């Protein structure tokens, strides 16, 4: 595969993740969309690191994976606490965080 194939694949994955975040109402599904977007960024980082022959892109992808893992832990903790209080994970009920 060439560079163009990887970039097109990453943009398709990013678009699927963005559409998922914008369309779906479940917080868990929205987090999965964010993870898709982060993984598409990782694909681009690793692709360009491979093309240029440097390790900076792979190191950046590693840090993105660390941030993604932390985001999942915090996000799921918030979702579980909202689910315990309201018995729903719908993003329409986000106004309950103001109380």
């Amino acid at each position: 595969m060439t560079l163009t194939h990887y970039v097109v694949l990453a943009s398709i994955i990013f678009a699927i993740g963005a559409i998922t975040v914008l369309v779906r109402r479940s917080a868990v599904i929205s987090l999965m969309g964010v993870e898709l977007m982060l993984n598409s960024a990782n694909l681009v980082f690793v692709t360009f690191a491979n093309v240029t022959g440097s390790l900076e892109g792979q190191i950046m992808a590693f840090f993105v994976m660390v941030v993604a893992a932390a985001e999942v832990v915090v996000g799921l903790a918030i979702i579980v606490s909202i689910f315990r209080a309201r018995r729903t994970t719908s993003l329409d009920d986000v106004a309950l965080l103001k109380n």
Side-chain angles (χ1 to χ4, degrees):
M1 290 179 65
T2 64
L3 174 68
T4 308
H5 291 102
Y6 286 113
V7 172
V8 168
L9 177 64
S11 32
I12 289 171
I13 293 172
F14 189 88
I16 291 171
I19 290 170
T20 302
V21 168
L22 294 173
V23 172
R24 302 297 287 192
R25 295 291 177 207
S26 174
V28 176
I29 303 297
S30 292
L31 278 178
M32 290 191 328
V34 170
E35 291 297 321
L36 275 174
M37 291 189 289
L38 289 172
N39 284 330
S40 70
N42 282 343
L43 179 61
V44 170
F45 285 140
V46 171
T47 299
F48 281 106
N50 191 16
V51 168
T52 61
S54 65
L55 288 176
E56 284 86 6
Q58 294 177 2
I59 292 170
M60 185 63 98
F62 175 74
F63 284 119
V64 169
M65 285 189 279
V66 169
V67 169
E71 175 256 334
V72 166
V73 169
V74 172
L76 285 178
I78 292 170
I79 291 170
V80 167
S81 66
I82 291 173
F83 181 76
R84 286 184 180 173
R86 301 288 178 155
R87 294 288 177 212
T88 184
T89 61
S90 175
L91 292 177
D92 294 332
D93 297 335
V94 168
L96 68 98
L97 295 176
K98 294 180 183 177
N99 296 334

